[in-house]
Amino acid sequence: MENCLIVDFGSQYTQLIARKLRELGVRSEVVPPTITLDELESKKPLGLILSGGPSSVTDANAPKLTFTLEDIRIPVLGICYGMQWMVKSFGGVVERGLAREYGVEKIRIDGGRLLDTSALQTVLMSHGDHADQLPSMFKAVAHSTKGVIAAMEHRERPLYGLQFHPEVNHTEGGTEILRKFLVACRFRFDWKPSHIFEELAQKLKDQVGSGRILCALSGGVDSAVVAVMLHKLFPDQVDCFCVDTGLLRKNEMRQLSELFSEKFRFPIHVVQAGEDFLRELKGVIDPEEKRKIIGRLFIEVFEREAKKLKDIAFLAQGTLYPDVIESTSFHGGPSAKIKSHHNVGGLPERLPFKLVEPLRDLFKDEVRRMGEFLGLPHEFVWRHPFPGPGLAVRVIGEVREDRLSILREADARLQEVLRETGWYEKLWQSFCVFLPIQSVGVMGDQRTYESVIAVRCVHSDDGMTAHVAPLPSEVLEQISKRIINEVKGINRVVYDISSKPPATIEWE
């Protein structure tokens, strides 16, 4: 099958490249820079993309390929760090830290095989180093307004370099640039979403064999897709457990149980552990510590339940790629850690099970398409993302039952208003956050001193970047009125207008 390899030099956006290629109809595979020439040739790729990364090519221990580009004859595209590595490997000069460009910038395109001539084009830059002198057989085909070389290409071979990121939505025409590269690779663009399930199914069969699987249901879409997929592939080998941590949304456990018992005809085992989680979280304020505690307790609960069963070999969970990339490098490389996710960085080092994470290379929209393919109801598949640690990371400060109760009720009102006004399916994510502060208000001519709820509504394609949703003022007023009038203990509602980056979508 036709394949494009993506070398991961540690970029936060590496899997975005893979996602864009899949959307364009091309199968892609992310590989580490340690891949050997023999390993690369055995995969028979039609093209190679070198990702960005946080390192500097001027460092002695900077990541690099184990072979030279002279050893291969397929088209190669270097992005950001990947372009700088190409420059240095062919004898050019990369200067360190003299032309920093971070965020949206303008570039002037002078031509080139992948670029359309344009007076000015908007792109996303994220670099400190830059190419100062190109190798002899390369020419610059675009410059930033600061004069930095923004794109280059080999005069004879299909070798290209971009100092900006074509894989992100901030870059104007970025998808078209990638498409032109794939055309140069002679792809037929015949990769389909159904192929993703076929690949995952084969990987799971190879990994699991005849072993028994304990599947962890969190209440969200991701873990539900994993559960349905595993039950479809291994109907007699899967036991589905849902730990009621006491950190779920209003009526979530009941809805989940009804879905699996009525729609898919296989029951899930609900483990009541809310008191355990609240006890361990008592007095804990630091969000990283919250996530670590929740991850540890999840494993302890599943260990306890597994002892009641026989021969459990695997623990399956719904880890997605954004969870992985924020917690640690996808391939053990130098990408920066943003925060631990309870099902990634929050798990203890020694596990009594082997992990099964079939979705860890996918983004949310791909998982949703998988859910629809497997028969999950539309309204469930398109629910907004919910964090694995649950409401614990939406209560800022100590997690207490009184705060959780207020948060559940406030969030339920938010979702009701969004659905009634037609905004729910326009958003990527929406939720309430309980703030550990109080403010003065007035109700019925009486002074109040009560808690504050923050509302977060964002647009996004994949969770890697996001921007605030411009809800109409009348909708915001309706949300505030419903929460303050109907949720006891709240007298003020605020709206979060931060984008990602610099903020993350969740507050913790």
Side-chain angles (χ1 to χ4, degrees), residues 167-186:
E167 67 272 24
V168 301
N169 290 335
H170 299 75
T171 294
E172 180 184 352
T175 301
E176 179 62 16
I177 294 172
L178 291 174
R179 190 192 67 80
K180 287 185 176 181
F181 172 72
L182 298 173
V183 169
C185 298
R186 300 185 183 279

Side-chain angles (χ1 to χ4, degrees), residues 455 457 470-481 493 495:
V455 172
C457 298
L471 296 185
S473 59
E474 59 269 21
V475 175
L476 290 172
E477 289 175 8
Q478 189 175 347
I479 292 168
S480 177
K481 183 178 180 180
V493 174
Y495 192 54

Side-chain angles (χ1 to χ4, degrees), residues 230-276:
L230 292 175
H231 189 262
K232 181 181 181 70
L233 296 172
F234 313 101
D236 300 320
Q237 297 171 227
V238 182
D239 290 283
C240 288
F241 280 80
C242 187
V243 178
D244 188 350
T245 62
L247 306 172
L248 299 178
R249 291 168 288 196
K250 186 176 181 179
N251 298 326
E252 193 156 32
M253 188 57 63
R254 176 178 57 80
Q255 294 167 357
L256 190 68
S257 296
E258 290 176 356
L259 171 66
F260 279 88
S261 62
E262 296 176 8
K263 172 70 176 178
F264 296 103
R265 300 288 189 248
F266 70 93
I268 59 174
H269 307 283
V270 178
V271 182
Q272 301 293 341
E275 292 183 1
D276 296 334

Side-chain angles (χ1 to χ4, degrees), residues 84-94 133-136 138:
Q84 295 165 12
W85 186 87
M86 289 176 69
V87 170
K88 184 178 179 182
S89 66
F90 277 100
V93 177
V94 175
Q133 296 179 28
L134 295 185
S136 59
F138 284 81

Side-chain angles (χ1 to χ4, degrees), residues 153-209:
E153 64 181 32
H154 196 278
R155 296 178 186 275
E156 297 177 357
R157 295 180 57 192
L159 303 177
Y160 311 92
L162 304 174
Q163 188 56 72
F164 56 91
H165 289 270
E167 67 272 24
V168 301
N169 290 335
H170 299 75
T171 294
E172 180 184 352
T175 301
E176 179 62 16
I177 294 172
L178 291 174
R179 190 192 67 80
K180 287 185 176 181
F181 172 72
L182 298 173
V183 169
C185 298
R186 300 185 183 279
F187 280 102
R188 290 178 294 183
F189 299 93
D190 57 356
W191 175 251
K192 300 177 182 178
S194 59
H195 293 153
I196 297 177
F197 175 78
E198 294 169 7
E199 279 203 351
L200 293 181
Q202 188 57 55
K203 288 180 180 179
L204 284 169
K205 289 175 181 177
D206 292 342
Q207 179 184 6
V208 171

